[in-house]
Amino acid sequence: MDSITSAASVLAAGLAVGLGAIGPGIGQGSAAQGAVEGIARQPEAEGKIRGTLLLSLAFMEALTIYGLVVALVLLFANPFA
Amino acid sequence: MVPLPLFLPFAELEVGQHLYWHVGGFQIHGQVFLSSWLVIGALLALVVAGTRNLGRDPRGVQNLLEFIWAYLRDLAREQIGEKAYRDWLPFIGTLFLFIFVSNWGGALVPWKLIHLPSGELGAPTADINTTIALALLVSLAYFYAGLSRKGFRYFEYYVEPTPIMLPFKIVEDFTKPLSLSFRLFGNILADELVVAVLAFLVPLVVPLPAMFLGLFTSAIQALIFATLAAYYIGEAVHEEQH
């Protein structure tokens, strides 16, 4: 791999994960906010709310993971190397 | 492929290195094959052990199996609906159990003690080929479910509620397997990488919380994969109430 390709790949890998973490971060924050409000209003529904929250958090996390997959491809299986 | 400069024997990262087997004209990732068959063998052994002496009062392994069965039945019934869930419970259950045992097996079993000529044993789901195969199976399953239940009326789903939705629904057929496979693959590989990097930096104690988090996300990912597969099948067999 020549140096300019590897430099661009490493930079792009960092950007993929970093930029990809912004949106899901905001989304997970608002989801957690909703869950806390729900629990404060109805403490007896805590178990159900927690289950749904964890499931939806994992869905949002998947978006960052897509960025991570792109980063891993760039670092370990670079098609341009 | 960049070999990472990690030399500790228990914290070696070997992403992108595989034990290649040549079968016919194909290259096969041997370490994935070995670990998948170990997972399948473990599941078979568990089920055979649990169903050998069936009792009226479930105890031991039979109790565990009945608990898992009831859990998966509730999952399938909730997503697919009362009418069709019986046909698809085996498929959903198989997906869940295989992914769950693969993920936990990759995290809990000290695979590093077994030396391979190249590559390393680990969770089969940390290889993109496994997850894409599973996701394509889900695609086939929901097409078959829709077509066999509704015939060509299945394609009405593409133009509901308006024909404007047609391109989006067609694109959805491609993004469904893509997101299913990448979600599972990325999560499992990310868990393994985080643990490996932490174990490289601080070999003792510090990786433990990351390992527990990894076990937790592994279980959640298996649940999500099974739930989404059931949801897609349920969407395909769902009858509009007129």
Side-chain angles (χ1 to χ4, degrees):
Chain A
M1 200 189 304
D2 61 35
S3 61
I4 188 78
T5 313
S6 46
S9 302
V10 170
L11 195 64
L15 284 176
V17 179
L19 292 179
I22 296 175
I26 297 169
Q28 291 194 330
S30 57
Q33 178 200 2
V36 170
E37 276 170 10
I39 293 172
R41 201 169 294 156
Q42 257 185 312
E44 67 273 13
E46 193 192 340
K48 230 174 177 178
I49 291 176
R50 192 198 290 126
T52 319
L53 175 72
L54 287 178
L55 204 66
S56 31
L57 285 186
F59 274 114
M60 290 174 227
E61 212 167 74
L63 300 173
T64 318
I65 299 284
Y66 297 157
L68 180 79
V69 170
V70 172
L72 290 176
V73 166
L74 284 174
L75 290 181
F76 296 109
N78 197 324
F80 308 109
Chain B
M1 282 170 222
V2 186
L4 287 190
L6 303 180
F7 297 115
L8 287 179
F10 41 82
E12 224 170 356
L13 276 180
E14 294 180 23
V15 179
Q17 291 178 34
H18 304 290
L19 174 69
Y20 285 111
W21 287 349
H22 297 275
V23 177
F26 298 100
Q27 276 193 333
I28 288 178
H29 293 175
Q31 86 277 23
V32 179
F33 247 71
L34 288 173
S35 49
S36 327
W37 278 106
L38 284 175
V39 167
I40 294 168
L43 277 172
L44 276 179
L46 183 75
V47 172
V48 168
T51 50
R52 272 174 75 94
N53 293 313
L54 289 179
R56 187 166 279 275
D57 304 324
R59 61 182 71 219
V61 185
Q62 189 192 349
N63 202 356
L64 174 73
L65 289 180
E66 288 193 9
F67 164 73
I68 295 172
W69 183 80
Y71 180 75
L72 290 170
R73 182 200 56 195
D74 290 346
L75 192 157
R77 189 162 57 190
E78 202 172 295
Q79 302 293 335
I80 303 181
E82 196 66 54
K83 277 184 199 157
Y85 83 94
R86 275 173 199 282
D87 300 339
W88 292 100
L89 179 56
F91 181 64
I92 305 295
T94 310
L95 279 179
F96 177 82
L97 286 177
F98 178 71
I99 295 172
F100 180 75
V101 176
S102 300
N103 294 350
W104 274 38
L108 291 177
V109 180
W111 296 109
K112 271 289 170 196
L113 300 180
I114 304 169
H115 285 284
L116 294 181
S118 164
E120 59 182 344
L121 289 171
T125 38
D127 189 283
I128 187 96
N129 298 309
T130 314
T131 61
I132 285 185
L134 293 173
L136 287 179
L137 275 181
V138 172
S139 289
L140 286 180
Y142 78 72
F143 269 110
Y144 174 74
L147 286 173
S148 66
R149 198 156 189 92
K150 297 200 220 162
F152 282 101
R153 280 196 306 116
Y154 167 66
F155 294 104
E156 282 175 4
Y157 156 79
Y158 285 85
V159 288
E160 275 169 3
T162 66
I164 303 169
M165 293 301 283
L166 180 67
F168 300 104
K169 299 251 172 154
I170 292 175
V171 168
E172 215 175 36
D173 277 334
F174 293 97
T175 54
K176 274 173 185 172
L178 191 76
S179 68
L180 266 184
S181 56
F182 274 21
R183 179 183 302 120
L184 184 58
F185 163 70
N187 271 289
I188 305 309
L189 188 63
D191 285 339
E192 292 195 345
L193 281 180
V194 166
V195 171
V197 167
L198 278 180
F200 163 66
L201 295 173
V202 190
L204 293 176
V205 183
V206 175
L208 274 178
M211 285 176 178
F212 280 114
L213 185 71
L215 285 182
F216 180 67
T217 36
S218 302
I220 296 261
Q221 287 309 319
L223 175 64
I224 283 183
F225 197 101
T227 310
L228 275 178
Y231 173 76
Y232 293 154
I233 291 169
E235 207 178 28
V237 299
H238 177 69
E239 297 276 0
E240 285 294 326
Q241 307 290 332
H242 289 296

